[in-house]
Amino acid sequence: MKKFLLSLCAIAVASACVFMTSCKDEDEWAEQVNVPSVANAVAAAQAAGVTAGLTYSYQLNGQEYTSPEALQQAIAALEPGSQNNTLVVVAKDPATGASQSGKVTTFSVPAVGGQPQQIVFNIPTTTNPTDDGSNNTATISITTTETRQHSGGTIN
C-alpha cells in the first residue's frame, strides 16, 4: 500500500511539473509615457538670459523636484490619459533666499495612441516679482505608447 501511494504521489508531482512547464502565459501590455530630455529643453531656455547663480526647482502636481532629470522621470510616471497636471518652475537666489515662480502650466498626458501633447513651461530668469517666465519658455512633447511585456512564464 505504501508503494502504491508513493507511486501515486510521484505521478501527481510529475504531472503537475509537466503541466506548469507546458503552459504558456499571455504577453502583458504596459502603457509607457515617453518624455524627451527635459534637461535639454531647460538648458536651452536658461541660456536665453538667466541671471547667474540662480537655482531651479520644478513642482509637478505639488511635488517638488530639484533636477530636470527627476522632473522627466516624474512626468514619465504619470498615468496615461491623466488631465489637469500642473507644472511650475521656481527660480531661487541662494545668496538672498529670494525666489520667483513661473506661470502655472496645465497639461494632459495623452492616452495610448493619442496625439502628442506639448508642455510649454515658463522659466523665470530673475527673482524679480514681475518675472513670471512668460518671456522665457521651454517646450517638450510627450507621447504614450503601449509595449508588450512577457512575464517569462511566471505566475502573476
Side-chain angles (χ1 to χ4, degrees):
M1 183 71 170
K2 288 182 185 178
K3 285 184 180 181
F4 174 73
L5 289 175
L6 185 59
S7 298
L8 192 59
C9 275
I11 290 171
V13 168
S15 297
C17 289
V18 168
F19 175 76
M20 295 299 286
T21 58
S22 67
C23 291
K24 181 178 185 295
D25 59 342
E26 294 293 320
D27 288 343
E28 296 176 5
W29 292 92
E31 297 173 338
Q32 177 180 343
V33 178
N34 306 305
V35 183
S37 175
V38 174
N40 290 346
V42 169
Q46 288 175 341
V50 171
T51 303
L54 295 181
T55 60
Y56 287 88
S57 62
Y58 311 88
Q59 296 175 357
L60 177 65
N61 296 332
Q63 180 71 39
E64 184 173 17
Y65 301 93
T66 57
S67 73
E69 294 81 12
L71 174 64
Q72 181 174 335
Q73 290 175 352
I75 294 171
L78 292 173
E79 188 69 31
S82 64
Q83 299 178 347
N84 298 319
N85 296 291
T86 59
L87 174 60
V88 177
V89 179
V90 179
K92 184 175 183 178
D93 184 344
T96 65
S99 64
Q100 177 59 28
S101 297
K103 289 170 65 176
V104 176
T105 299
T106 303
F107 67 95
S108 298
V109 176
V112 172
Q115 293 295 317
Q117 291 291 315
Q118 294 244 342
I119 304 174
V120 179
F121 51 101
N122 301 303
I123 301 176
T125 57
T126 67
T127 55
N128 184 327
T130 61
D131 182 8
D132 64 1
S134 29
N135 293 326
N136 193 37
T137 60
T139 303
I140 58 172
S141 181
I142 60 174
T143 59
T144 303
T145 56
E146 196 167 46
T147 58
R148 191 178 283 219
Q149 294 180 334
H150 186 68
S151 66
T154 61
I155 299 174
N156 293 329

